[in-house]
Amino acid sequence: MKEVSLLIIVLLVLKAEAQSSTLAIADSLYALGNYSKAINAYAKVGDSFSNLQIARSYKAIGNFEKAIAQYEAVVNENPQMQIARFELGKLFIKTKGFNEARKLFSKLIATNSQNPEYYYYLGETFRKLEQPASSLVAHKNAVAIDSTHLRSLFQLGKYFTIKQERDNALRYVDAGLRFYAEDVSLINLKALIYYNDGQYEKAIPLFEQVLALGERKEYVYEKLGYSYYKNWDFEKAKETYKTLIAMNDSNSETYFALGEVYRKNKQLDSAAIFINTAMDIKRPIFGQGHSALAGLARERKDLKTALKHYTLAHEQMPKEPRHYFQICTVYDRLAENQGEKLKYYQNFIKLYGKNQPYLSQLVAKRVSELKQQIHFEAD
């Protein structure tokens, strides 16, 4: 009897050693990224951990359907295994199974209400489901548990930035930056908060810091260039827009912006060059280009050229009232016949009067003046 018991113990030890050896091989294959062979090796072990590793391997391969099925099998067999449920919830988000993710993270919170990650990912599922109020609550809960939870702080800052609630946005962004001063996403968001609020002087050093930290994206240069321009730092604006053109020379808006910097800096010939380049790049914005060239002509006191370009701008963009308003004002200065001037202004009211109260008020005042002048001339 003792011999039989001893034999059973020996067999169990050998089996455990074999499983341990197989598991070590499987772990090594997994660590080296040889996921298909790792799956086969883990399948020979067959315990809960190995089954979880199989799910992870399928996910790493990109076979999300099999990964979800394997995770669900693990969760059904081990309902208390939070890590499996957590990873499955994140995979549901990745595969746009937002309702499934919402249910999973809600259950995880019911199991463990002090894990900020669960609230964060619940907030993300609500955000993907376009339920911003619920997302806001979840992210606030994450921050209430962990005041340094950067991703939740970012989402809260972003939410209030979109809502144009500057002070609330800054409160969450600054909380994150106090914990990690070089978080590029938070610095960029703070720059955008000031930029959207028209505080360009405060936005500039933040955009500069974003670039210094390696986030050299086109939109950063575009906003930094405009901030320099609004801050009357024309040389830095020129340099920034030229850097942007070197990155992407097919964006007509950059050339227009650079042309506007030169115009503001009273370098009208250079301004005209960049505006014409912009027009050559993208034909559908000829109207914008002609309007800009008209403005340059007005600054040169060349009213006939200005009238020509405003007329072309109006032809290209007939729904834009300001082009026709400029036609009226330039023609007013060029023409001598008061009756002809009056016709232009009256036509403006006919075309745009109902939808342009401010401009219509200016036009109505000028119409009244012209009618008086015509009346006195007739007398």
Side-chain angles (χ1 to χ4, degrees):
M1 188 69 177
K2 289 182 179 179
E3 292 178 355
V4 173
S5 298
L6 182 61
L7 179 61
I8 291 171
I9 292 171
V10 169
L11 289 173
L12 288 173
V13 169
L14 290 173
K15 182 179 180 182
E17 288 178 351
Q19 282 188 324
S20 177
S21 175
T22 303
L23 183 59
I25 292 170
D27 286 341
S28 176
L29 291 167
Y30 181 88
L32 293 171
N34 198 342
Y35 300 115
S36 294
K37 288 186 177 180
I39 289 169
N40 293 330
Y42 282 126
K44 293 176 183 178
V45 179
D47 62 9
S48 297
F49 173 76
S50 296
N51 290 334
L52 177 61
Q53 288 296 92
I54 291 171
R56 289 170 172 169
S57 298
Y58 278 128
K59 180 184 174 184
I61 291 170
N63 191 334
F64 300 138
E65 186 177 348
K66 282 192 174 182
I68 289 172
Q70 182 68 19
Y71 272 119
E72 287 177 333
V74 173
V75 168
N76 289 334
E77 186 178 343
N78 303 276
Q80 301 307 314
M81 188 184 284
Q82 289 188 40
I83 186 63
R85 294 157 70 194
F86 180 51
E87 291 180 11
L88 177 57
K90 290 192 289 184
L91 185 54
F92 275 135
I93 293 176
K94 187 178 183 68
T95 56
K96 300 183 179 181
F98 303 125
N99 273 315
E100 291 85 351
R102 176 184 56 78
K103 294 173 186 176
L104 254 178
F105 287 114
S106 296
K107 289 178 180 178
L108 280 168
I109 289 168
T111 302
N112 180 0
S113 62
Q114 294 304 304
N115 189 331
E117 285 290 285
Y118 295 166
Y119 286 102
Y120 168 75
Y121 282 105
L122 179 62
E124 289 302 280
T125 60
F126 279 125
R127 190 166 66 86
K128 297 294 186 180
L129 288 167
E130 298 182 355
Q131 299 179 32
S134 297
S135 176
L136 184 69
V137 171
H139 287 305
K140 282 185 175 181
N141 284 333
V143 171
I145 296 167
D146 178 3
S147 62
T148 65
H149 199 276
L150 293 179
R151 285 170 296 163
S152 289
L153 289 167
F154 173 81
Q155 289 300 338
L156 289 166
K158 182 180 176 182
Y159 173 86
F160 286 112
T161 299
I162 293 170
K163 290 292 184 181
Q164 297 184 333
E165 295 183 30
R166 183 197 63 190
D167 293 342
N168 277 329
L170 286 173
R171 178 159 62 92
Y172 288 109
V173 170
D174 285 339
L177 290 173
R178 281 194 294 272
F179 176 68
Y180 183 28
E182 293 192 349
D183 187 289
V184 175
S185 297
L186 288 171
I187 297 168
N188 181 59
L189 187 55
K190 187 171 184 177
L192 288 172
I193 292 167
Y194 285 128
Y195 180 89
N196 293 337
D197 200 46
Q199 297 188 58
Y200 302 107
E201 190 173 358
K202 290 184 177 180
I204 286 169
L206 293 166
F207 282 130
E208 290 174 337
Q209 189 179 0
V210 169
L211 292 175
L213 289 170
E215 191 74 1
R216 299 181 178 276
K217 301 290 181 64
E218 288 184 27
Y219 78 91
V220 179
Y221 283 102
E222 182 268 321
K223 285 178 168 49
L224 178 58
Y226 187 75
S227 297
Y228 283 138
Y229 162 73
K230 295 296 287 186
N231 206 43
W232 294 78
D233 195 340
F234 298 130
E235 293 308 313
K236 285 188 176 179
K238 292 174 194 174
E239 180 184 340
T240 304
Y241 282 128
K242 287 177 181 177
T243 300
L244 187 52
I245 287 171
M247 295 171 66
N248 179 6
D249 63 359
S250 62
N251 188 341
S252 60
E253 293 297 331
T254 307
Y255 289 95
F256 271 120
L258 186 54
E260 176 59 18
V261 174
Y262 277 105
R263 184 196 69 78
K264 199 79 170 179
N265 204 28
K266 304 301 180 183
Q267 296 174 280
L268 304 185
D269 290 340
S270 295
I273 289 171
F274 286 108
I275 291 167
N276 278 303
T277 302
M279 294 171 69
D280 289 339
I281 290 171
K282 194 172 182 182
R283 291 182 177 276
I285 53 174
F286 265 0
Q288 182 183 348
H290 283 300
S291 179
L293 291 173
L296 294 178
R298 280 187 95 159
E299 292 199 40
R300 293 191 180 102
K301 311 299 182 186
D302 185 354
L303 296 182
K304 288 184 178 179
T305 301
L307 181 61
K308 181 186 76 173
H309 283 297
Y310 280 132
T311 301
L312 289 169
H314 171 65
E315 290 173 358
Q316 292 288 330
M317 302 171 69
K319 292 183 179 180
E320 172 51 62
R322 292 188 178 276
H323 294 158
Y324 196 80
F325 177 77
Q326 296 293 355
I327 291 173
C328 295
T329 59
V330 173
Y331 189 81
D332 197 346
R333 293 179 61 186
L334 277 173
E336 295 182 1
N337 188 301
Q338 309 292 6
E340 291 298 319
K341 297 179 184 180
L342 181 61
K343 287 180 182 178
Y344 274 90
Y345 284 113
Q346 288 176 328
N347 196 42
F348 177 91
I349 294 173
K350 179 181 177 182
L351 291 172
Y352 309 108
K354 294 180 180 179
N355 300 319
Q356 293 293 319
Y358 175 71
L359 291 179
S360 295
Q361 186 178 1
L362 297 177
V363 169
K365 182 180 178 182
R366 185 55 181 152
V367 166
S368 179
E369 291 171 351
L370 287 170
K371 284 182 176 179
Q372 282 187 340
Q373 290 175 15
I374 292 169
H375 175 71
F376 288 132
E377 288 174 4
D379 288 346

Short mmCIF file of all heavy atoms in Angstrom, two decimals, residues 48 51 68-82 84-85 88 104 107:
data_model
loop_
_atom_site.label_atom_id
_atom_site.label_comp_id
_atom_site.label_asym_id
_atom_site.label_seq_id
_atom_site.Cartn_x
_atom_site.Cartn_y
_atom_site.Cartn_z
N SER A 48 -5.95 27.90 -15.51
CA SER A 48 -6.59 29.21 -15.69
C SER A 48 -5.63 30.24 -16.27
O SER A 48 -5.97 31.00 -17.19
CB SER A 48 -7.16 29.72 -14.37
OG SER A 48 -8.16 28.86 -13.88
N ASN A 51 -4.93 29.51 -19.94
CA ASN A 51 -6.07 29.90 -20.77
C ASN A 51 -6.13 31.41 -20.97
O ASN A 51 -6.48 31.90 -22.04
CB ASN A 51 -7.37 29.40 -20.13
CG ASN A 51 -7.49 27.89 -20.21
OD1 ASN A 51 -6.92 27.26 -21.11
ND2 ASN A 51 -8.22 27.29 -19.27
N ILE A 68 -11.67 37.28 -27.95
CA ILE A 68 -12.89 37.55 -27.17
C ILE A 68 -13.51 36.24 -26.71
O ILE A 68 -13.90 36.11 -25.54
CB ILE A 68 -13.89 38.39 -27.99
CG1 ILE A 68 -13.37 39.82 -28.15
CG2 ILE A 68 -15.27 38.39 -27.35
CD1 ILE A 68 -14.17 40.68 -29.12
N ALA A 69 -13.60 35.28 -27.61
CA ALA A 69 -14.19 33.98 -27.25
C ALA A 69 -13.40 33.31 -26.13
O ALA A 69 -13.96 32.74 -25.19
CB ALA A 69 -14.24 33.07 -28.47
N GLN A 70 -12.06 33.40 -26.21
CA GLN A 70 -11.21 32.79 -25.18
C GLN A 70 -11.34 33.53 -23.84
O GLN A 70 -11.45 32.90 -22.78
CB GLN A 70 -9.75 32.80 -25.65
CG GLN A 70 -8.77 32.15 -24.70
CD GLN A 70 -8.96 30.64 -24.58
OE1 GLN A 70 -9.57 30.01 -25.44
NE2 GLN A 70 -8.46 30.06 -23.50
N TYR A 71 -11.35 34.86 -23.91
CA TYR A 71 -11.54 35.64 -22.68
C TYR A 71 -12.88 35.29 -22.02
O TYR A 71 -12.96 35.13 -20.79
CB TYR A 71 -11.51 37.14 -22.98
CG TYR A 71 -10.14 37.78 -22.95
CD1 TYR A 71 -9.61 38.38 -24.08
CD2 TYR A 71 -9.40 37.79 -21.77
CE1 TYR A 71 -8.37 39.00 -24.05
CE2 TYR A 71 -8.13 38.39 -21.74
CZ TYR A 71 -7.63 38.99 -22.88
OH TYR A 71 -6.39 39.58 -22.84
N GLU A 72 -13.92 35.19 -22.83
CA GLU A 72 -15.25 34.88 -22.28
C GLU A 72 -15.26 33.49 -21.64
O GLU A 72 -15.91 33.28 -20.59
CB GLU A 72 -16.30 34.98 -23.39
CG GLU A 72 -16.59 36.42 -23.80
CD GLU A 72 -17.59 36.53 -24.93
OE1 GLU A 72 -17.68 35.57 -25.75
OE2 GLU A 72 -18.27 37.56 -25.02
N ALA A 73 -14.53 32.56 -22.23
CA ALA A 73 -14.45 31.21 -21.64
C ALA A 73 -13.73 31.26 -20.29
O ALA A 73 -14.15 30.60 -19.33
CB ALA A 73 -13.71 30.28 -22.60
N VAL A 74 -12.68 32.07 -20.23
CA VAL A 74 -11.94 32.22 -18.97
C VAL A 74 -12.83 32.86 -17.90
O VAL A 74 -12.87 32.41 -16.75
CB VAL A 74 -10.67 33.07 -19.18
CG1 VAL A 74 -10.00 33.38 -17.84
CG2 VAL A 74 -9.70 32.35 -20.11
N VAL A 75 -13.56 33.91 -18.30
CA VAL A 75 -14.44 34.63 -17.36
C VAL A 75 -15.56 33.71 -16.86
O VAL A 75 -15.90 33.71 -15.68
CB VAL A 75 -15.01 35.90 -18.01
CG1 VAL A 75 -16.13 36.49 -17.17
CG2 VAL A 75 -13.90 36.92 -18.22
N ASN A 76 -16.13 32.91 -17.76
CA ASN A 76 -17.21 31.99 -17.36
C ASN A 76 -16.72 30.93 -16.37
O ASN A 76 -17.43 30.53 -15.46
CB ASN A 76 -17.81 31.32 -18.60
CG ASN A 76 -18.62 32.28 -19.44
OD1 ASN A 76 -19.15 33.27 -18.93
ND2 ASN A 76 -18.72 32.02 -20.74
N GLU A 77 -15.47 30.51 -16.58
CA GLU A 77 -14.90 29.48 -15.71
C GLU A 77 -14.43 30.08 -14.38
O GLU A 77 -14.48 29.43 -13.34
CB GLU A 77 -13.73 28.80 -16.41
CG GLU A 77 -13.17 27.61 -15.62
CD GLU A 77 -12.05 26.91 -16.37
OE1 GLU A 77 -11.92 27.13 -17.60
OE2 GLU A 77 -11.30 26.14 -15.74
N ASN A 78 -13.98 31.36 -14.45
CA ASN A 78 -13.44 32.02 -13.26
C ASN A 78 -14.05 33.42 -13.13
O ASN A 78 -13.40 34.42 -13.45
CB ASN A 78 -11.91 32.14 -13.35
CG ASN A 78 -11.23 30.81 -13.54
OD1 ASN A 78 -10.97 30.10 -12.58
ND2 ASN A 78 -10.94 30.48 -14.80
N PRO A 79 -15.29 33.52 -12.70
CA PRO A 79 -16.00 34.81 -12.65
C PRO A 79 -15.30 35.86 -11.78
O PRO A 79 -15.48 37.06 -12.00
CB PRO A 79 -17.36 34.45 -12.05
CG PRO A 79 -17.52 32.98 -12.32
CD PRO A 79 -16.14 32.42 -12.24
N GLN A 80 -14.49 35.42 -10.82
CA GLN A 80 -13.82 36.36 -9.92
C GLN A 80 -12.47 36.86 -10.46
O GLN A 80 -11.81 37.66 -9.80
CB GLN A 80 -13.62 35.69 -8.55
CG GLN A 80 -14.91 35.23 -7.88
CD GLN A 80 -15.94 36.35 -7.78
OE1 GLN A 80 -15.63 37.47 -7.39
NE2 GLN A 80 -17.17 36.04 -8.16
N MET A 81 -12.07 36.37 -11.64
CA MET A 81 -10.78 36.78 -12.19
C MET A 81 -10.92 38.18 -12.83
O MET A 81 -11.26 38.30 -14.01
CB MET A 81 -10.27 35.76 -13.22
CG MET A 81 -8.83 36.04 -13.68
SD MET A 81 -8.25 34.91 -14.98
CE MET A 81 -7.94 33.44 -14.02
N GLN A 82 -10.66 39.20 -12.04
CA GLN A 82 -10.87 40.57 -12.51
C GLN A 82 -9.99 40.93 -13.70
O GLN A 82 -10.42 41.65 -14.60
CB GLN A 82 -10.62 41.56 -11.37
CG GLN A 82 -11.68 41.53 -10.28
CD GLN A 82 -11.49 42.66 -9.28
OE1 GLN A 82 -11.17 43.79 -9.64
NE2 GLN A 82 -11.68 42.34 -8.00
N ALA A 84 -9.01 39.18 -16.19
CA ALA A 84 -9.57 38.68 -17.46
C ALA A 84 -10.75 39.55 -17.89
O ALA A 84 -10.88 39.91 -19.07
CB ALA A 84 -10.02 37.23 -17.31
N ARG A 85 -11.59 39.92 -16.96
CA ARG A 85 -12.74 40.77 -17.28
C ARG A 85 -12.27 42.16 -17.70
O ARG A 85 -12.83 42.79 -18.61
CB ARG A 85 -13.67 40.85 -16.07
CG ARG A 85 -14.33 39.51 -15.74
CD ARG A 85 -14.79 39.43 -14.30
NE ARG A 85 -15.94 40.29 -14.04
CZ ARG A 85 -16.37 40.61 -12.83
NH1 ARG A 85 -15.73 40.13 -11.75
NH2 ARG A 85 -17.43 41.36 -12.67
N LEU A 88 -10.82 41.94 -21.18
CA LEU A 88 -11.91 41.73 -22.13
C LEU A 88 -12.67 43.03 -22.37
O LEU A 88 -13.02 43.35 -23.52
CB LEU A 88 -12.87 40.65 -21.59
CG LEU A 88 -14.12 40.37 -22.43
CD1 LEU A 88 -13.76 39.95 -23.85
CD2 LEU A 88 -14.98 39.29 -21.76
N LEU A 104 -19.48 45.34 -18.77
CA LEU A 104 -18.37 44.71 -18.07
C LEU A 104 -17.77 45.64 -17.03
O LEU A 104 -17.53 45.25 -15.88
CB LEU A 104 -17.30 44.30 -19.07
CG LEU A 104 -17.18 42.79 -19.37
CD1 LEU A 104 -16.11 42.55 -20.41
CD2 LEU A 104 -16.85 42.03 -18.10
N LYS A 107 -19.93 46.13 -14.00
CA LYS A 107 -19.85 44.98 -13.08
C LYS A 107 -18.53 44.99 -12.32
O LYS A 107 -18.49 44.65 -11.12
CB LYS A 107 -20.02 43.68 -13.86
CG LYS A 107 -21.43 43.45 -14.39
CD LYS A 107 -21.51 42.15 -15.19
CE LYS A 107 -22.93 41.93 -15.71
NZ LYS A 107 -23.02 40.69 -16.54
#
